[in-house]
Amino acid sequence: MRILVVEDEAGLREGLIDLLQGDGHDVTAVGDGATAAATGIAESWDLVVLDLMLPRMNGMDVCRKLRGARPGMPILMLTARGSEDDKVRGLGEGADDYVTKPFSARELLARVRALGRRAPSEVTEQIDVDGAVLDFARLVVKRDGATTALTPREVGLLRWLHRQRGRAVSRSEILEQVFGQRGDLQTRAVDMAIVVLRKKVERDPAQPRIIVSIKGAGYAWGEDTP
Ligand code: CA
């Protein structure tokens, strides 16, 4: 398997690399959350082993970003002993399993092998909507023979909105759930991101049918679209 290891403690990181390489895996390791999110989104990994306490972006936020951009990618979280909250939250953020520190080599490898055998999650990788094809795996939208690139964040937003179809979502919810930020001041950033995204995916951005505005509430996936 191609495994991305995210651990800021150098000793443990080296230990994980040795252990996983010894088990026949191709291992890449990074030491902070921001690099982890970028690296994890840039490529599809067979498994991400993700520490929770990280500099520059915590493991929960990294997990949410990875889940948003690559829903089917298995994530194994490393949590501290006794922090039951972290386990629950981690699984809620989309981690597939967790191992509690300190763990034995045997325990970790057992979890890694179990996730490797697991069938990929049911993932929507392509949506045909209102004459457009949203290709999440290739990060593009195709319409009328033209192909337009989408950023990982735009794919995350589209995928998340599609999952919430049938209800209106607020700007602050998008900000928190998709962009991993808080604060009412930045909700304008959501509107700007939607404007840019509509230009890419909508037939007529002035008459959006895929990402519709709900007055007084925020946005919703278009009712008539799959
Ligand atoms: Ca750590």
Side-chain angles (χ1 to χ4, degrees), residues 64 157 160 167-191 216-219:
R64 190 182 312 135
L157 177 52
W160 186 80
R167 74 179 186 97
V169 294
S170 69
R171 291 170 176 80
S172 45
E173 198 179 350
I174 293 174
L175 199 61
E176 193 178 328
Q177 296 296 318
V178 183
F179 299 172
Q181 297 169 13
R182 276 165 220 266
D184 292 334
L185 289 175
Q186 291 141 307
T187 52
R188 192 162 152 62
V190 173
D191 294 330
Y219 297 99

Side-chain angles (χ1 to χ4, degrees), residues 127-130 162 165 209-211 221-226:
I127 298 175
D128 291 41
V129 51
D130 194 37
H162 184 250
R165 63 191 180 278
R209 298 193 47 186
I210 301 172
I211 308 169
W221 191 265
E223 245 178 41
D224 304 332
T225 59

Side-chain angles (χ1 to χ4, degrees), residues 6-9 12 31 51-55 78 101:
V6 185
E7 170 59 64
D8 58 315
E9 290 156 60
L12 185 49
D51 185 32
L52 203 49
M53 301 289 283
L54 293 166
L78 307 180
K101 288 179 176 178

Side-chain angles (χ1 to χ4, degrees), residues 114-159:
L115 285 173
R117 278 194 302 270
R118 205 189 59 158
S121 314
E122 198 173 294
V123 181
T124 308
E125 285 299 0
Q126 184 172 310
I127 298 175
D128 291 41
V129 51
D130 194 37
V133 176
L134 310 180
D135 187 335
F136 294 152
R138 291 178 183 77
L139 277 69
V140 295
V141 52
K142 293 178 200 160
R143 184 187 279 287
D144 300 332
T147 301
T148 310
L150 297 166
T151 65
R153 193 171 76 163
E154 287 169 339
V155 167
L157 177 52
L158 285 167
R159 214 194 288 266

Side-chain angles (χ1 to χ4, degrees), residues 32-221:
D32 72 84
T35 308
T39 310
I41 289 170
E43 296 173 55
S44 183
W45 302 87
D46 298 316
L47 175 66
V48 179
V49 177
L50 177 64
D51 185 32
L52 203 49
M53 301 289 283
L54 293 166
R56 294 185 66 207
M57 184 188 296
N58 73 54
M60 291 293 179
D61 290 340
V62 174
C63 187
R64 190 182 312 135
K65 280 181 188 294
L66 295 182
R67 215 13 110 233
R70 294 191 176 274
M73 191 162 66
I75 299 172
L76 176 64
M77 210 171 245
L78 307 180
T79 65
R81 182 165 49 179
S83 54
E84 203 62 40
D85 277 1
D86 285 346
K87 287 163 196 164
V88 173
R89 270 194 69 203
L91 296 174
E93 295 292 359
D96 295 282
D97 200 358
Y98 57 83
V99 175
T100 305
K101 288 179 176 178
F103 45 79
S104 67
R106 211 176 70 165
E107 191 183 353
L108 183 89
L109 289 178
R111 301 295 176 90
V112 166
R113 288 170 187 154
L115 285 173
R117 278 194 302 270
R118 205 189 59 158
S121 314
E122 198 173 294
V123 181
T124 308
E125 285 299 0
Q126 184 172 310
I127 298 175
D128 291 41
V129 51
D130 194 37
V133 176
L134 310 180
D135 187 335
F136 294 152
R138 291 178 183 77
L139 277 69
V140 295
V141 52
K142 293 178 200 160
R143 184 187 279 287
D144 300 332
T147 301
T148 310
L150 297 166
T151 65
R153 193 171 76 163
E154 287 169 339
V155 167
L157 177 52
L158 285 167
R159 214 194 288 266
W160 186 80
L161 279 173
H162 184 250
R163 252 190 257 147
Q164 313 303 317
R165 63 191 180 278
R167 74 179 186 97
V169 294
S170 69
R171 291 170 176 80
S172 45
E173 198 179 350
I174 293 174
L175 199 61
E176 193 178 328
Q177 296 296 318
V178 183
F179 299 172
Q181 297 169 13
R182 276 165 220 266
D184 292 334
L185 289 175
Q186 291 141 307
T187 52
R188 192 162 152 62
V190 173
D191 294 330
M192 291 169 67
I194 298 275
V195 167
V196 173
L197 191 47
R198 278 176 172 161
K199 282 186 186 150
K200 293 185 177 184
V201 304
E202 300 282 357
R203 185 189 305 277
D204 176 3
Q207 302 282 329
R209 298 193 47 186
I210 301 172
I211 308 169
V212 298
S213 298
I214 307 293
K215 205 168 180 176
Y219 297 99
W221 191 265

